[in-house]
Amino acid sequence: MSDQTEAEFLATYDPTAYPPTGITVDLVLLTIIDGNLSVLLVKRAGHPYKGKWAIPGGFVEHDEGLDDAALRELQEETGTELFSGHIEQLGAYGKPSRDPRFRIVSIAYVAFFPEPGNPIAGSDAAEARYWPVDMIDRDMLAFDHGTIIDDAIERARAKLEYTTHATAFLPYEFTIGQLRRVYETVWGVDIEPANFRRKVLSTFRLEEAGGSLGLGRLYALPALTENLYPPFYRETTQ
Amino acid sequence: MSDQTEAEFLATYDPTAYPPTGITVDLVLLTIIDGNLSVLLVKRAGHPYKGKWAIPGGFVEHDEGLDDAALRELQEETGTELFSGHIEQLGAYGKPSRDPRFRIVSIAYVAFFPEPGNPIAGSDAAEARYWPVDMIDRDMLAFDHGTIIDDAIERARAKLEYTTHATAFLPYEFTIGQLRRVYETVWGVDIEPANFRRKVLSTFRLEEAGGSLGLGRLYALPALTENLYPPFYRETTQ
DNA sequence: ATAATAGTGTCTTTTAGACAATATCAC
DNA sequence: GTGATATTGTCTAAAAGACACTATTAT
């Protein structure tokens, strides 16, 4: 049995003979609120981990793709019909003991998006709020969500280095100063404005949006306009 | 139902009421053979996709972590007790239609390791061989394995840029020239030997192993020796 | 000895970073 | 006007890249 191929295994596999396994998607929703990188957490109303905070998520429907489930959850949690941000798959978390009730494998996603107008995300009666990541203590979190959040933040920091996804934290039109503050917030560093400006203008291929906000001129990522409409922007595989 | 929280959902969720979902791990085993980046494929003996080639994989045992399942499969496929290479999680693939029989979510892993002595990996009766990635046609592959392989190669190319995992394609001791050829093979470019040497010596923190191979001196990654023993090297989460 | 690769030296180009100076806007 | 931020300019330091040259080894 241990050295048979997948083909042989599948041919003889009886799904109903195995204990059930659940598949969920969990979302690390990252945004910058008042200059703090923040993540949306939902307070658990029931056991297990009653009273602890969890990242939002839910089961994947039986005929639903993983990305589709993540986008559905995203819409439910942020209450936005049109999501103007970036979402990508973070990874699968499947330690057998991660849920005390039965085996659940979670596919985690991480999303970046602009500061939401309403402080509390849509959703329902359960308490939900954005937490600055610096204020989150591992003991307050349910399941392995501390690990998932840590991985998501690390992913975010890495992605800003070699993509233009920092713009996902901002509205479609933004100033170079706003973009610099995104980097400073996520990376926790100070960046020299003059050098940052030159670097961004030479690598991001921004187009001038015409107007200005405060002191700075407004720019936009050309590609972003194409991603305003469902099925949104995806770089992950289903 | 669509706006209840995960907590509420789980509390009322009856696992047996849903159609079964299978969890597999699939492995993209990458190595360099005769100067070609190659991937291990297994010819499928049964339906579906009978006669097509698939990456090796298998079901995750019910009490087994994802990484553990991947390492078990790795050992079965490569036949090595001690794996001297690098393995990391690639991502989850869960399009509902990806397996025609029933819903299977696959957690894909990608591994880099030195050219194996025996051309055909251990395993069993099924035909298995390493294919140069340039010779792989999408039509010869089963399931969505073409997509998974493409993603794995992209991951490999990206990882060489900002990690030392290129050394995973080589034995513990290697020359700078061998390491350069890894980069040239995976990236499909020519690299200037003099500049490459300086770059690697200034960033990899290699230690001289003492001997020489052919023309070049032998070097080794200091950290690698710690990773010779189970549970091997892991950077992925469970 | 010859050919091929390893390794060193040196120069040029590019990029990153520090910092002064000016411009513009909110108040 | 004052203070803060944006923007441009300029200089220095570091990194990347091109390429000549020497050293070593397999044949």
Side-chain angles (χ1 to χ4, degrees), chain A residues 195-227:
Chain A
N195 297 331
F196 177 83
R197 174 185 188 80
R198 267 184 296 257
K199 170 80 174 180
V200 162
L201 287 180
S202 70
T203 56
F204 273 42
R205 214 183 309 167
L206 297 175
E207 49 188 35
E208 286 202 52
S212 65
L213 191 158
L215 288 178
R217 295 173 215 154
L218 284 170
Y219 292 86
L221 261 196
L224 254 178
T225 49
E226 299 160 21
N227 300 320

Side-chain angles (χ1 to χ4, degrees), chain B residues 1 74 116 120 135 139 150 168 179 184-185 187 199 228 235:
Chain B
M1 165 126 158
L74 178 71
I120 305 300
M135 286 184 55
D139 295 335
D150 287 347
L179 187 60
E184 291 178 329
T185 300
W187 285 350
K199 170 82 174 178
L228 279 174
E235 80 169 9

